[in-house]
Amino acid sequence: MVENAAPKIFYQDRSIVTPGDLIAEGDLQVSWSPYFYKIGNKYYSAITGLLSVKEGNVFEVIPLEGQHYYPRIGDTVLGLIEDIEIYGWVADIKSFYSAYLPASSLLGRAITPGEDLRRFLNIGDYVIAKVEAFDRTINPVLTVKGKGLGRVSSGVVVEISPAKVPRVIGKNKSMLEVLTSETGCDVQVAQNGRILIKCANSLSEEALVSAINIIQSESHIKGLTERIRAYLREKLGGSRNDASAEAKANT
């Protein structure tokens, strides 16, 4: 009787892998991904990407480039309404697939025949949603049932490559914490490469957008989190702290 080989990952965390590289072998519990393939009990990279190794012999290949998002059930996405149908909306989620948002999900009820859905979401509106269903044979179905989901009523949407989303968030959300704490802005990063930001003033907004663009172009560089912190402090100086102190003094 031949025993299964013990799981083994051949690269360290944050290594660069290229198409055909043998990433791992053995009995690993990893989710399907278009970015690697399996032959027997061996896993090979399908792209040039960054390998993310997690506890429990779990890995993920993150594309270094790529403007299209691959939907996964449970992902939070920022969709742009591009069409209105009888029973719902079609949304662009920066994917090869258009997504469908049923009207019942937003309204919490069945719609009345002939009801004008433009009163609730119109073409050009943004919506924060989760991918509820997708199996590669049908387009993704979205839901807005849940806290923080629904129509976007304010803020600015920043576009990045979906491949750069993990870097903008950072390990244990370290980069995201720097972006929010140093600017005072509310930052919501969607998995499909759209970021919703809400800032109190244009100075903070401009600094934040500039920092996000730096992260996108220099995502492969080590020590980037602290570089972004220093960059934001240089751009904003003491303006944010001064504003906070002034607000407290006037209360």
Side-chain angles (χ1 to χ4, degrees), residues 40-237:
N41 69 342
K42 296 182 178 181
Y43 298 80
Y44 299 87
S45 178
I47 62 167
T48 298
L50 190 69
L51 185 69
S52 174
V53 179
K54 304 173 184 177
E55 293 182 5
N57 288 317
V58 176
F59 69 85
E60 181 182 9
V61 180
I62 302 168
L64 287 178
E65 298 296 338
Q67 298 301 318
H68 290 95
Y69 160 70
Y70 189 85
R72 290 183 175 86
I73 293 175
D75 277 1
T76 298
V77 297
L78 191 52
L80 175 64
I81 302 300
E82 60 181 4
D83 197 9
I84 302 174
E85 299 187 347
I86 297 175
Y87 296 105
W89 299 269
V90 177
D92 165 49
I93 57 171
K94 296 184 67 169
S95 174
F96 292 109
Y97 309 90
S98 292
Y100 181 69
L101 174 62
S104 58
S105 176
L106 179 70
L107 305 180
R109 59 172 174 81
I111 68 168
T112 304
E115 191 169 5
D116 185 5
L117 295 184
R118 290 175 298 180
R119 295 190 297 127
F120 309 102
L121 277 176
N122 207 348
I123 293 173
D125 286 344
Y126 283 99
V127 61
I128 300 174
K130 283 189 178 293
V131 179
E132 184 175 45
F134 176 64
D135 65 2
R136 287 179 284 161
T137 62
I138 61 171
N139 284 357
V141 177
L142 305 180
T143 179
V144 291
K145 294 179 180 177
K147 184 178 180 181
L149 304 180
R151 181 179 178 274
V152 173
S153 57
S154 63
V156 174
V157 174
V158 180
E159 301 270 355
I160 64 169
S161 165
K164 307 298 184 180
V165 166
R167 199 67 180 97
V168 174
I169 297 173
K171 190 173 183 179
N172 298 321
K173 298 186 177 181
S174 57
M175 184 69 82
L176 184 59
E177 191 278 331
V178 167
L179 295 175
T180 56
S181 65
E182 294 297 333
T183 64
C185 301
D186 179 62
V187 182
Q188 187 166 0
V189 184
Q191 295 299 320
N192 63 323
R194 288 189 176 125
I195 304 173
L196 178 63
I197 64 173
K198 299 177 183 179
C199 300
N201 56 69
S202 59
L203 181 63
S204 295
E205 182 180 296
E206 290 171 4
L208 176 58
V209 172
S210 179
I212 291 171
N213 289 332
I214 292 173
I215 296 169
Q216 178 164 229
S217 62
E218 302 181 11
S219 60
H220 59 287
I221 297 176
K222 290 186 177 181
L224 185 59
T225 302
E226 290 307 314
R227 288 186 56 211
I228 291 297
R229 188 193 305 277
Y231 171 80
L232 288 172
R233 289 182 177 179
E234 179 183 356
K235 290 284 288 185
L236 297 175

Side-chain angles (χ1 to χ4, degrees), residues 10-30:
F10 297 105
Y11 291 86
Q12 294 182 344
D13 184 42
R14 297 191 59 75
S15 295
I16 302 295
V17 292
T18 58
D21 284 349
L22 176 60
I23 300 171
E25 69 175 336
D27 186 17
L28 287 86
Q29 301 298 317
V30 292

